Amino acid sequence: MNGDATAIPGGRRISAHAVCTAIRDDIVSGVHPPGSRLTEELLARRYGVSRVPVREALRTLESEGFVTTRRHAGACVAQPSEREVADLLDIRGLLEPLGAARAAQRRTEAHLKVLRGLVRLGQERARRGSLGELRPLDDWFHETLAQASDSPSLAVLLVQVRRKIAWVYAADPARQPERPVRGAADRSDPAARAVESWAEHGALVDAVARGDADRARILATVHTERALSAFRLRRPAQVRTSKHSVNTASGRN
């Protein structure tokens, strides 16, 4: 057997990529909190695989910044510093407008169809107040917009940065929304912000559809600045280390 996949009872094979995705999702959702150890044996047991794909997955996650290797402790979930978080926010502010401009120049009709469909769903759920359904739609929207840039390297960076920012704020409750920004929807009202955000998505898709790269860049810049202004960076909260290397309780979102 090679290192790309492992067999589990029933003959099904799980790839290292699938294991990596599962571990990453559990890190982002908090099943494996920052600072907690990631033991190959326990991870293999949790995900029903051998240690080989787990080892490969941990190497990949380390290269992405989700995992660090400590002397005498092995692999642990990373604990981003405040400066690292600030850098992530700045990087997002630079990349998303670039991605939107590229999408306006390179998008296909298939991309537009998906983007328009997501905007319709997002706006409908935002007006209805179904906020719990908006996060996956928002992720899907931004991933599709990134793919529409027709730049694989840029798309990968955009998805990774957004994923890491979501993880940082989910893991650290000390970072709370700021006070309302003048001229924008009340940031203390998540429903109002959701309606505003999906209206911005709709305007951005219209610019992309027209092939207006300058307008798309401006709208993406405004959207990103408003989203990032909702966060106030504070000193990272102290993270408790679990007694167990892996939290086996169901905590996925």
Side-chain angles (χ1 to χ4, degrees), residues 174-219:
R175 296 185 174 104
Q176 297 294 333
E178 270 190 350
R179 294 179 179 178
V181 177
R182 182 177 298 178
D186 187 349
R187 295 306 190 270
S188 65
D189 183 352
R193 173 55 193 154
V195 170
E196 179 193 56
S197 179
W198 281 95
E200 293 170 359
H201 286 0
L204 178 54
V205 171
D206 287 343
V208 169
R210 294 195 305 269
D212 190 339
D214 290 338
R215 180 64 175 165
R217 186 191 297 272
I218 291 171
L219 290 172

Side-chain angles (χ1 to χ4, degrees), residues 124-132 191:
E124 174 191 332
R125 282 157 177 71
R127 287 192 299 267
R128 205 167 62 197
S130 303
L131 304 186

Side-chain angles (χ1 to χ4, degrees), residues 8 10 14 31 43 59 70 95 98-100 114 133 141 151 165 176-177 184 199 201 206 209 211 223 239 242:
I8 62 174
I14 304 296
V31 173
L43 290 174
R59 283 198 293 264
R70 298 177 183 171
L95 292 183
L98 174 61
V114 174
E133 300 176 26
F141 174 87
S151 173
I165 290 173
Q176 297 294 333
H201 286 0
D206 287 343
H223 178 74
V239 177
S242 172

Side-chain angles (χ1 to χ4, degrees), residues 94-253:
L94 293 171
L95 292 183
E96 288 200 355
L98 174 61
R102 291 286 185 272
Q105 297 168 328
R106 303 172 180 175
R107 90 294 183 278
T108 66
E109 288 302 315
H111 289 132
L112 286 178
K113 183 177 181 180
V114 174
L115 289 169
R116 284 170 171 153
L118 289 169
V119 167
R120 283 195 297 271
L121 287 173
Q123 291 179 342
E124 174 191 332
R125 282 157 177 71
R127 287 192 299 267
R128 205 167 62 197
S130 303
L131 304 186
E133 300 176 26
L134 291 178
R135 173 57 64 84
L137 288 177
D138 189 64
D139 290 342
W140 191 359
F141 174 87
H142 283 284
E143 287 184 19
T144 303
L145 188 63
Q147 292 166 4
S149 72
D150 196 29
S151 173
S153 297
L154 178 58
V156 167
L157 288 172
L158 283 166
V159 171
Q160 286 182 348
V161 168
R162 286 184 59 84
R163 185 183 291 143
K164 289 186 74 173
I165 290 173
W167 163 53
V168 166
Y169 285 107
D172 185 2
R175 296 185 174 104
Q176 297 294 333
E178 270 190 350
R179 294 179 179 178
V181 177
R182 182 177 298 178
D186 187 349
R187 295 306 190 270
S188 65
D189 183 352
R193 173 55 193 154
V195 170
E196 179 193 56
S197 179
W198 281 95
E200 293 170 359
H201 286 0
L204 178 54
V205 171
D206 287 343
V208 169
R210 294 195 305 269
D212 190 339
D214 290 338
R215 180 64 175 165
R217 186 191 297 272
I218 291 171
L219 290 172
T221 298
V222 171
H223 178 74
T224 302
E225 288 177 349
R226 286 181 177 174
L228 300 187
S229 72
F231 297 114
R232 178 172 57 224
L233 296 180
R234 296 182 180 176
R235 183 174 182 145
Q238 187 68 28
V239 177
R240 296 178 182 176
T241 302
S242 172
K243 294 181 180 179
H244 303 285
S245 297
V246 177
N247 178 2
T248 56
S250 177
R252 274 189 164 181
N253 292 334

Side-chain angles (χ1 to χ4, degrees), residues 26-100:
D26 279 348
I27 289 175
V28 172
S29 65
V31 173
H32 307 308
S36 62
R37 290 187 61 195
L38 297 170
T39 306
E40 288 181 12
E41 181 180 356
L42 293 180
L43 290 174
R45 190 181 309 155
R46 174 181 176 83
Y47 300 109
V49 298
S50 73
R51 295 174 64 171
V52 174
V54 169
R55 190 175 303 124
E56 294 184 15
L58 291 177
R59 283 198 293 264
T60 298
L61 292 170
E62 184 173 16
S63 71
E64 294 178 354
F66 288 97
V67 171
T68 59
T69 301
R70 298 177 183 171
R71 200 172 194 180
H72 307 306
C76 302
V77 179
Q79 296 176 288
S81 68
E82 186 170 340
R83 186 168 71 174
E84 288 172 321
V85 176
D87 286 345
L88 283 172
L89 297 176
D90 286 342
I91 291 169
R92 178 186 169 187
L94 293 171
L95 292 183
E96 288 200 355
L98 174 61

